[in-house]
Amino acid sequence: MRPALITLLLLLVATLVADSGRPEQDDGQWTMPGKDFAATRYSGLTQITPANAARLRPQWSFSTGVLGGHEGQPLVVNNTMYVVTPFPNVLYAFDLTREGYPLKWKYRPDVNPTSVGIACCDAINRGAFYADGRIVYNLLDGHTVAVDAATGRELWKTQIADLGQGETTPMAPFVVKGKVIVGPSGGEFGIHGWVKALELATGRLAWTAYSEGPDADVLAHPATFRPFYDRGTDLALTSWPADAWQRAGVPVWGWLSYDPDLDLLYYGTGNAAPYNPEQRPGDNKWASSVLARRPEDGSLVWAYQFTPHENWDFDANAEMILADVTVKGRRRRVLVHFDKNGFAYTIDRATGEVLVAAPFTAVTWAQRIDLATGRPVVDTAKLTGASRGNIKDICPSLEGGKSPVSAASYSPRTGLFYVSTNNLCMDYQATQVTRIAGTPYIGASTPYHAGPGGHMGAFIAWDASVGRRVWEIREPYPVWSGSVVTAGDVVFYGTLDGWFKAADARSGRVLWKFKVGSGVVGCPITYTGPDGRQYVAVYAGIGGDWLLLSGDVRSDDPADVRPRADFAPDLARHTSQGGIVWVFGLP
């Protein structure tokens, strides 16, 4: 049997496994955060529908005992639910076959507490990946661990990052072809961004590919690297001044996807450092880009930069959802990406050609994306820099038109993508900065304000074939959760003020909501329990940027009484910190 066909069959098995906790439907392969290698977060389960969703009720809850931002999602494999907490990154395994879902085991890793002070935006964790009997996840302090899924025994632990340089590792790893793909946070510390592959069996380093620098470091080989819009060699070196690329940020901390037919791994890169763009003239490749690599050796096949010489902290770490979409009458294999810069992109995933690009939220920094060149047509009045003073009313803010944390979902039934969005704008005043290893390397003041209409967020349905919003549910605050959509035509998401909601995937009508006690910044999942019933699970636990912005939402430290952000002065009236795992089902 051909290797590509074997991979395709295993991908199909993985898709079935992610919908079920029953052991007879799990052959010991994969269960992953994005539901499948295409990162669709689509479930084939149908028991919960628009007709009965209003009957959903809590079935179980569990306090993690941790206050940090609960990003990521649980995993359900073999009638076991696995939960990873923010720092100190405890891994829980719950037995779904017994009343009350008792704890089977708990793995408490040794994590360097220094990492908490280095992490940019709260000591969060984005989840684990199940592969070949192992639960694999990252610790905040720059280590990846593999734990026996049945016993909780540590199988290996590998250091991948350097805290001394400002590198931390909250991302969810991604496993493909026996490789564990990992990357760091630290764009705000001026790290030298990278992605690494570890051997799943042993944890040994297989390859390292840098985001910027010489072709040899980026693994951009002349014989195989074919970007659609760019030509030449050492593009990730010559687009930076002097040695600026060595402290340029460009981290890899978001979600990944994989096409087994093309044998391409896709991921986005983060912001360029520092925030003052006058210190790094040039396009600054491959900051704020999507990269397509071969997972076995890391070789770069194509890359596309969403925001050349990015001036506004527009990371591109958000998910790359793989789908087949009809564009201008032709069926195309695409990846769909909702960027922090406010544009939604439909891109040919074999070549990197941009087929559709349209704003999905308020955008003032650019007029449009030129499909012939792939480049944004920038409003020069919105360019930033220390010499330009305070630039007003840039939309979206550096929180993004969509946070990369908030993973979107896609339904092949409706053909729509379901996206948590922000309606925030900012003023931006850059300053000159000097890098000191392990300390912030930013250089900007960026106060926010609500965008057009006054609401600060919306949950939307998007048609990627033409670049059009189909419906929206407006929210008073930015929407920071991920989503999951089902074959029952129900889509689930959460809000910063602590509501977990179900909506009709076709019309956007809100069907049900439940107050979960803390803001939702994680991603919901749905699964079949041992009793054959469909359940929905989600984390509650506000954090991430919103720990810093919402004011006094932490009560265990009398000295931690932070001022509220001017643009959202009352958010703390509706939420407080506290990690809870919720499970909902029909009565």
Side-chain angles (χ1 to χ4, degrees), residues 235-287:
L235 296 173
L237 176 67
T238 58
S239 57
W240 298 86
D243 61 349
W245 57 273
Q246 298 180 29
R247 53 182 181 277
V250 199
V252 180
W253 51 261
W255 312 101
L256 295 85
S257 50
Y258 173 68
D259 184 328
D261 292 330
L262 296 173
D263 190 27
L264 288 177
L265 173 76
Y266 305 95
Y267 65 91
T269 60
N271 60 286
Y275 283 23
N276 175 21
E278 292 176 348
Q279 292 183 236
R280 45 175 176 81
D283 274 359
N284 305 150
K285 300 184 185 302
W286 294 105

Short mmCIF file of all heavy atoms in Angstrom, two decimals, residues 235-287:
data_model
loop_
_atom_site.label_atom_id
_atom_site.label_comp_id
_atom_site.label_asym_id
_atom_site.label_seq_id
_atom_site.Cartn_x
_atom_site.Cartn_y
_atom_site.Cartn_z
N LEU A 235 15.68 35.16 1.58
CA LEU A 235 14.64 36.18 1.75
C LEU A 235 14.42 36.54 3.22
O LEU A 235 14.11 37.68 3.55
CB LEU A 235 13.32 35.67 1.15
CG LEU A 235 13.32 35.42 -0.36
CD1 LEU A 235 12.02 34.77 -0.79
CD2 LEU A 235 13.51 36.73 -1.11
N ALA A 236 14.60 35.56 4.09
CA ALA A 236 14.40 35.80 5.52
C ALA A 236 15.63 36.41 6.18
O ALA A 236 15.63 36.64 7.39
CB ALA A 236 14.02 34.50 6.22
N LEU A 237 16.65 36.68 5.39
CA LEU A 237 17.86 37.34 5.89
C LEU A 237 17.96 38.76 5.32
O LEU A 237 18.13 39.73 6.08
CB LEU A 237 19.10 36.54 5.48
CG LEU A 237 20.46 37.14 5.84
CD1 LEU A 237 20.65 37.14 7.35
CD2 LEU A 237 21.58 36.35 5.15
N THR A 238 17.80 38.89 4.02
CA THR A 238 17.99 40.19 3.36
C THR A 238 16.84 41.16 3.62
O THR A 238 16.98 42.36 3.36
CB THR A 238 18.16 40.00 1.85
OG1 THR A 238 16.99 39.33 1.33
CG2 THR A 238 19.39 39.15 1.54
N SER A 239 15.70 40.67 4.11
CA SER A 239 14.58 41.56 4.42
C SER A 239 14.66 42.12 5.84
O SER A 239 13.71 42.77 6.31
CB SER A 239 13.25 40.80 4.24
OG SER A 239 13.21 39.64 5.05
N TRP A 240 15.80 41.91 6.51
CA TRP A 240 16.07 42.47 7.83
C TRP A 240 17.35 43.30 7.75
O TRP A 240 18.26 42.96 6.98
CB TRP A 240 16.27 41.37 8.87
CG TRP A 240 15.08 40.50 9.09
CD1 TRP A 240 14.75 39.38 8.39
CD2 TRP A 240 14.07 40.68 10.09
NE1 TRP A 240 13.59 38.84 8.89
CE2 TRP A 240 13.15 39.61 9.93
CE3 TRP A 240 13.85 41.62 11.09
CZ2 TRP A 240 12.03 39.47 10.74
CZ3 TRP A 240 12.74 41.48 11.90
CH2 TRP A 240 11.85 40.42 11.73
N PRO A 241 17.49 44.34 8.54
CA PRO A 241 18.75 45.10 8.55
C PRO A 241 19.82 44.39 9.38
O PRO A 241 19.54 43.85 10.45
CB PRO A 241 18.34 46.42 9.22
CG PRO A 241 17.20 46.06 10.10
CD PRO A 241 16.46 44.95 9.41
N ALA A 242 21.02 44.35 8.87
CA ALA A 242 22.21 43.85 9.59
C ALA A 242 21.87 42.55 10.30
O ALA A 242 21.41 41.60 9.69
CB ALA A 242 22.72 44.92 10.55
N ASP A 243 22.10 42.50 11.62
CA ASP A 243 21.86 41.27 12.37
C ASP A 243 20.55 41.31 13.15
O ASP A 243 20.35 40.54 14.09
CB ASP A 243 23.02 41.01 13.33
CG ASP A 243 23.18 42.13 14.36
OD1 ASP A 243 22.54 43.18 14.20
OD2 ASP A 243 23.95 41.93 15.32
N ALA A 244 19.62 42.18 12.76
CA ALA A 244 18.35 42.32 13.48
C ALA A 244 17.56 41.02 13.52
O ALA A 244 16.79 40.78 14.46
CB ALA A 244 17.51 43.43 12.86
N TRP A 245 17.72 40.16 12.52
CA TRP A 245 16.99 38.90 12.47
C TRP A 245 17.29 37.99 13.66
O TRP A 245 16.49 37.12 14.01
CB TRP A 245 17.29 38.16 11.16
CG TRP A 245 18.75 37.89 10.93
CD1 TRP A 245 19.64 38.73 10.33
CD2 TRP A 245 19.47 36.71 11.29
NE1 TRP A 245 20.89 38.15 10.31
CE2 TRP A 245 20.82 36.91 10.88
CE3 TRP A 245 19.13 35.51 11.91
CZ2 TRP A 245 21.80 35.94 11.08
CZ3 TRP A 245 20.12 34.55 12.11
CH2 TRP A 245 21.44 34.78 11.70
N GLN A 246 18.43 38.18 14.29
CA GLN A 246 18.80 37.31 15.42
C GLN A 246 18.01 37.62 16.69
O GLN A 246 18.00 36.82 17.63
CB GLN A 246 20.29 37.46 15.70
CG GLN A 246 21.17 37.02 14.54
CD GLN A 246 22.65 37.18 14.84
OE1 GLN A 246 23.07 37.11 16.00
NE2 GLN A 246 23.45 37.39 13.82
N ARG A 247 17.34 38.75 16.73
CA ARG A 247 16.54 39.13 17.91
C ARG A 247 15.18 39.67 17.46
O ARG A 247 14.66 40.61 18.02
CB ARG A 247 17.29 40.20 18.72
CG ARG A 247 17.72 41.42 17.90
CD ARG A 247 18.51 42.43 18.72
NE ARG A 247 18.88 43.59 17.91
CZ ARG A 247 19.93 43.64 17.10
NH1 ARG A 247 20.75 42.58 17.01
NH2 ARG A 247 20.21 44.73 16.39
N ALA A 248 14.64 39.05 16.44
CA ALA A 248 13.49 39.60 15.71
C ALA A 248 12.15 39.03 16.13
O ALA A 248 11.12 39.36 15.55
CB ALA A 248 13.68 39.38 14.21
N GLY A 249 12.11 38.14 17.13
CA GLY A 249 10.84 37.57 17.53
C GLY A 249 10.41 36.46 16.60
O GLY A 249 11.08 35.46 16.43
N VAL A 250 9.25 36.62 15.97
CA VAL A 250 8.68 35.68 15.00
C VAL A 250 8.51 34.29 15.63
O VAL A 250 9.01 33.28 15.12
CB VAL A 250 9.53 35.60 13.71
CG1 VAL A 250 8.69 35.01 12.57
CG2 VAL A 250 10.04 36.99 13.30
N PRO A 251 7.79 34.21 16.75
CA PRO A 251 7.60 32.92 17.43
C PRO A 251 6.54 32.07 16.75
O PRO A 251 5.80 32.53 15.87
CB PRO A 251 7.14 33.35 18.82
CG PRO A 251 6.39 34.63 18.56
CD PRO A 251 7.13 35.32 17.45
N VAL A 252 6.45 30.82 17.18
CA VAL A 252 5.46 29.87 16.65
C VAL A 252 4.72 29.30 17.85
O VAL A 252 5.18 28.36 18.49
CB VAL A 252 6.14 28.75 15.84
CG1 VAL A 252 5.09 27.77 15.31
CG2 VAL A 252 6.95 29.34 14.69
N TRP A 253 3.56 29.87 18.18
CA TRP A 253 2.86 29.46 19.39
C TRP A 253 1.39 29.13 19.16
O TRP A 253 0.64 28.91 20.11
CB TRP A 253 2.96 30.54 20.47
CG TRP A 253 2.59 31.94 20.07
CD1 TRP A 253 3.43 32.95 19.71
CD2 TRP A 253 1.26 32.50 20.00
NE1 TRP A 253 2.72 34.10 19.43
CE2 TRP A 253 1.39 33.86 19.60
CE3 TRP A 253 -0.02 32.00 20.26
CZ2 TRP A 253 0.29 34.70 19.44
CZ3 TRP A 253 -1.12 32.84 20.10
CH2 TRP A 253 -0.95 34.17 19.69
N GLY A 254 0.97 29.06 17.91
CA GLY A 254 -0.45 28.85 17.63
C GLY A 254 -0.77 27.43 17.22
O GLY A 254 -0.12 26.46 17.62
N TRP A 255 -1.78 27.30 16.38
CA TRP A 255 -2.32 26.00 15.98
C TRP A 255 -1.72 25.55 14.65
O TRP A 255 -1.35 26.38 13.82
CB TRP A 255 -3.84 26.10 15.85
CG TRP A 255 -4.49 26.77 17.02
CD1 TRP A 255 -4.93 28.06 17.09
CD2 TRP A 255 -4.75 26.20 18.30
NE1 TRP A 255 -5.47 28.33 18.33
CE2 TRP A 255 -5.37 27.20 19.10
CE3 TRP A 255 -4.54 24.94 18.86
CZ2 TRP A 255 -5.78 26.97 20.42
CZ3 TRP A 255 -4.95 24.71 20.18
CH2 TRP A 255 -5.56 25.72 20.94
N LEU A 256 -1.63 24.25 14.45
CA LEU A 256 -1.05 23.69 13.23
C LEU A 256 -2.06 22.79 12.53
O LEU A 256 -3.03 22.32 13.14
CB LEU A 256 0.22 22.89 13.56
CG LEU A 256 1.41 23.67 14.12
CD1 LEU A 256 1.31 23.85 15.63
CD2 LEU A 256 2.72 22.97 13.78
N SER A 257 -1.80 22.54 11.24
CA SER A 257 -2.63 21.62 10.47
C SER A 257 -1.75 20.89 9.46
O SER A 257 -0.60 21.27 9.24
CB SER A 257 -3.79 22.36 9.78
OG SER A 257 -3.32 23.49 9.06
N TYR A 258 -2.31 19.85 8.83
CA TYR A 258 -1.51 19.00 7.95
C TYR A 258 -2.39 18.41 6.86
O TYR A 258 -3.50 17.93 7.11
CB TYR A 258 -0.88 17.87 8.78
CG TYR A 258 -0.17 16.81 7.95
CD1 TYR A 258 1.00 17.12 7.25
CD2 TYR A 258 -0.67 15.51 7.89
CE1 TYR A 258 1.64 16.14 6.50
CE2 TYR A 258 -0.02 14.53 7.15
CZ TYR A 258 1.13 14.85 6.45
OH TYR A 258 1.78 13.90 5.71
N ASP A 259 -1.89 18.45 5.62
CA ASP A 259 -2.55 17.83 4.47
C ASP A 259 -1.77 16.57 4.10
O ASP A 259 -0.64 16.66 3.61
CB ASP A 259 -2.57 18.81 3.29
CG ASP A 259 -3.33 18.25 2.09
OD1 ASP A 259 -3.31 17.02 1.88
OD2 ASP A 259 -3.94 19.04 1.35
N PRO A 260 -2.33 15.36 4.32
CA PRO A 260 -1.58 14.13 4.02
C PRO A 260 -1.37 13.91 2.53
O PRO A 260 -0.40 13.26 2.14
CB PRO A 260 -2.45 13.03 4.63
CG PRO A 260 -3.81 13.61 4.70
CD PRO A 260 -3.65 15.08 4.92
N ASP A 261 -2.27 14.42 1.68
CA ASP A 261 -2.09 14.24 0.24
C ASP A 261 -0.91 15.05 -0.28
O ASP A 261 -0.11 14.57 -1.10
CB ASP A 261 -3.36 14.63 -0.51
CG ASP A 261 -4.51 13.68 -0.22
OD1 ASP A 261 -4.23 12.49 0.04
OD2 ASP A 261 -5.67 14.11 -0.25
N LEU A 262 -0.82 16.29 0.17
CA LEU A 262 0.29 17.16 -0.23
C LEU A 262 1.53 16.96 0.64
O LEU A 262 2.61 17.44 0.30
CB LEU A 262 -0.13 18.63 -0.17
CG LEU A 262 -1.25 19.05 -1.12
CD1 LEU A 262 -1.70 20.48 -0.82
CD2 LEU A 262 -0.79 18.93 -2.57
N ASP A 263 1.36 16.26 1.76
CA ASP A 263 2.42 16.07 2.76
C ASP A 263 2.99 17.42 3.19
O ASP A 263 4.20 17.65 3.19
CB ASP A 263 3.54 15.17 2.22
CG ASP A 263 4.53 14.77 3.32
OD1 ASP A 263 4.12 14.72 4.50
OD2 ASP A 263 5.71 14.54 2.99
N LEU A 264 2.09 18.33 3.57
CA LEU A 264 2.50 19.67 4.00
C LEU A 264 1.93 19.99 5.37
O LEU A 264 0.74 19.78 5.64
CB LEU A 264 2.04 20.73 3.00
CG LEU A 264 2.77 20.77 1.66
CD1 LEU A 264 2.16 21.84 0.75
CD2 LEU A 264 4.26 21.03 1.85
N LEU A 265 2.80 20.49 6.22
CA LEU A 265 2.46 20.98 7.56
C LEU A 265 2.34 22.49 7.49
O LEU A 265 3.23 23.17 6.96
CB LEU A 265 3.57 20.58 8.52
CG LEU A 265 3.53 21.12 9.94
CD1 LEU A 265 2.48 20.37 10.76
CD2 LEU A 265 4.91 20.99 10.60
N TYR A 266 1.25 23.04 8.03
CA TYR A 266 1.00 24.48 7.94
C TYR A 266 0.96 25.09 9.34
O TYR A 266 0.35 24.53 10.26
CB TYR A 266 -0.34 24.77 7.26
CG TYR A 266 -0.50 24.14 5.91
CD1 TYR A 266 -1.14 22.90 5.78
CD2 TYR A 266 -0.04 24.76 4.76
CE1 TYR A 266 -1.30 22.30 4.53
CE2 TYR A 266 -0.20 24.17 3.51
CZ TYR A 266 -0.83 22.94 3.41
OH TYR A 266 -0.99 22.36 2.17
N TYR A 267 1.57 26.26 9.48
CA TYR A 267 1.48 27.00 10.73
C TYR A 267 1.78 28.47 10.47
O TYR A 267 2.38 28.84 9.46
CB TYR A 267 2.45 26.45 11.78
CG TYR A 267 3.91 26.61 11.42
CD1 TYR A 267 4.63 27.74 11.81
CD2 TYR A 267 4.58 25.63 10.70
CE1 TYR A 267 5.96 27.89 11.48
CE2 TYR A 267 5.92 25.76 10.37
CZ TYR A 267 6.60 26.89 10.76
OH TYR A 267 7.93 27.04 10.44
N GLY A 268 1.34 29.31 11.40
CA GLY A 268 1.58 30.75 11.29
C GLY A 268 2.68 31.19 12.23
O GLY A 268 2.98 30.54 13.24
N THR A 269 3.28 32.33 11.91
CA THR A 269 4.34 32.89 12.75
C THR A 269 3.85 34.18 13.40
O THR A 269 2.91 34.82 12.95
CB THR A 269 5.60 33.19 11.93
OG1 THR A 269 5.28 34.13 10.90
CG2 THR A 269 6.16 31.91 11.32
N GLY A 270 4.57 34.58 14.45
CA GLY A 270 4.17 35.73 15.24
C GLY A 270 4.80 37.03 14.78
O GLY A 270 5.39 37.15 13.71
N ASN A 271 4.67 38.02 15.66
CA ASN A 271 5.07 39.39 15.35
C ASN A 271 6.59 39.54 15.23
O ASN A 271 7.36 38.75 15.78
CB ASN A 271 4.57 40.33 16.44
CG ASN A 271 5.13 39.98 17.81
OD1 ASN A 271 4.73 39.00 18.42
ND2 ASN A 271 6.07 40.77 18.30
N ALA A 272 6.98 40.58 14.55
CA ALA A 272 8.39 40.99 14.51
C ALA A 272 8.69 41.85 15.73
O ALA A 272 7.82 42.55 16.25
CB ALA A 272 8.68 41.77 13.24
N ALA A 273 9.92 41.79 16.20
CA ALA A 273 10.35 42.59 17.35
C ALA A 273 11.45 43.55 16.91
O ALA A 273 12.27 43.21 16.06
CB ALA A 273 10.84 41.67 18.47
N PRO A 274 11.49 44.77 17.51
CA PRO A 274 10.53 45.29 18.49
C PRO A 274 9.29 45.86 17.81
O PRO A 274 9.18 45.86 16.58
CB PRO A 274 11.34 46.38 19.18
CG PRO A 274 12.22 46.92 18.10
CD PRO A 274 12.60 45.73 17.26
N TYR A 275 8.37 46.40 18.64
CA TYR A 275 7.14 46.98 18.10
C TYR A 275 7.42 48.28 17.33
O TYR A 275 6.56 48.72 16.56
CB TYR A 275 6.17 47.29 19.23
CG TYR A 275 5.43 46.10 19.80
CD1 TYR A 275 5.93 44.80 19.69
CD2 TYR A 275 4.23 46.27 20.47
CE1 TYR A 275 5.26 43.72 20.23
CE2 TYR A 275 3.55 45.18 21.02
CZ TYR A 275 4.07 43.92 20.90
OH TYR A 275 3.39 42.85 21.44
N ASN A 276 8.55 48.89 17.56
CA ASN A 276 8.94 50.08 16.79
C ASN A 276 9.50 49.62 15.45
O ASN A 276 10.65 49.16 15.36
CB ASN A 276 9.98 50.89 17.54
CG ASN A 276 10.50 52.06 16.73
OD1 ASN A 276 9.86 52.51 15.80
ND2 ASN A 276 11.69 52.55 17.08
N PRO A 277 8.74 49.73 14.35
CA PRO A 277 9.19 49.16 13.07
C PRO A 277 10.37 49.91 12.46
O PRO A 277 11.03 49.37 11.57
CB PRO A 277 7.94 49.26 12.19
CG PRO A 277 7.16 50.40 12.76
CD PRO A 277 7.40 50.36 14.24
N GLU A 278 10.64 51.13 12.94
CA GLU A 278 11.77 51.87 12.38
C GLU A 278 13.11 51.24 12.74
O GLU A 278 14.13 51.55 12.11
CB GLU A 278 11.72 53.33 12.86
CG GLU A 278 10.54 54.09 12.27
CD GLU A 278 10.41 55.50 12.81
OE1 GLU A 278 11.09 55.83 13.80
OE2 GLU A 278 9.63 56.28 12.23
N GLN A 279 13.13 50.34 13.70
CA GLN A 279 14.36 49.65 14.07
C GLN A 279 14.60 48.41 13.21
O GLN A 279 15.63 47.74 13.37
CB GLN A 279 14.33 49.26 15.55
CG GLN A 279 14.38 50.45 16.48
CD GLN A 279 14.41 50.06 17.95
OE1 GLN A 279 13.58 50.48 18.74
NE2 GLN A 279 15.40 49.24 18.32
N ARG A 280 13.70 48.11 12.30
CA ARG A 280 13.84 46.91 11.46
C ARG A 280 13.24 47.16 10.07
O ARG A 280 12.27 46.52 9.67
CB ARG A 280 13.16 45.71 12.13
CG ARG A 280 11.79 46.04 12.71
CD ARG A 280 11.10 44.80 13.27
NE ARG A 280 9.84 45.15 13.90
CZ ARG A 280 8.69 45.35 13.28
NH1 ARG A 280 8.63 45.24 11.95
NH2 ARG A 280 7.60 45.66 13.95
N PRO A 281 13.77 48.10 9.29
CA PRO A 281 13.25 48.35 7.94
C PRO A 281 13.32 47.10 7.08
O PRO A 281 14.18 46.24 7.26
CB PRO A 281 14.16 49.46 7.42
CG PRO A 281 15.39 49.40 8.26
CD PRO A 281 14.95 48.94 9.61
N GLY A 282 12.39 46.99 6.14
CA GLY A 282 12.31 45.84 5.25
C GLY A 282 11.03 45.07 5.46
O GLY A 282 10.24 45.37 6.35
N ASP A 283 10.81 44.05 4.64
CA ASP A 283 9.60 43.22 4.78
C ASP A 283 9.61 42.39 6.05
O ASP A 283 8.57 42.00 6.54
CB ASP A 283 9.47 42.28 3.58
CG ASP A 283 8.75 42.93 2.41
OD1 ASP A 283 8.34 44.10 2.53
OD2 ASP A 283 8.60 42.26 1.37
N ASN A 284 10.80 42.06 6.56
CA ASN A 284 10.93 41.25 7.79
C ASN A 284 10.31 39.86 7.64
O ASN A 284 9.49 39.42 8.43
CB ASN A 284 10.29 41.96 8.99
CG ASN A 284 10.82 43.36 9.23
OD1 ASN A 284 10.12 44.22 9.73
ND2 ASN A 284 12.08 43.61 8.89
N LYS A 285 10.71 39.16 6.59
CA LYS A 285 10.25 37.78 6.40
C LYS A 285 10.96 36.84 7.38
O LYS A 285 12.11 37.06 7.71
CB LYS A 285 10.51 37.32 4.97
CG LYS A 285 9.80 38.19 3.93
CD LYS A 285 10.02 37.66 2.53
CE LYS A 285 9.40 38.59 1.49
NZ LYS A 285 7.97 38.83 1.66
N TRP A 286 10.28 35.78 7.90
CA TRP A 286 8.90 35.44 7.65
C TRP A 286 8.05 35.72 8.89
O TRP A 286 7.36 34.84 9.42
CB TRP A 286 8.76 33.99 7.24
CG TRP A 286 9.40 33.73 5.92
CD1 TRP A 286 10.57 33.10 5.71
CD2 TRP A 286 8.88 34.11 4.63
NE1 TRP A 286 10.83 33.05 4.35
CE2 TRP A 286 9.80 33.66 3.68
CE3 TRP A 286 7.74 34.78 4.19
CZ2 TRP A 286 9.60 33.87 2.31
CZ3 TRP A 286 7.55 34.98 2.84
CH2 TRP A 286 8.48 34.52 1.91
N ALA A 287 8.12 36.95 9.39
CA ALA A 287 7.21 37.38 10.45
C ALA A 287 5.79 37.48 9.90
O ALA A 287 5.59 37.76 8.71
CB ALA A 287 7.65 38.73 11.02
#
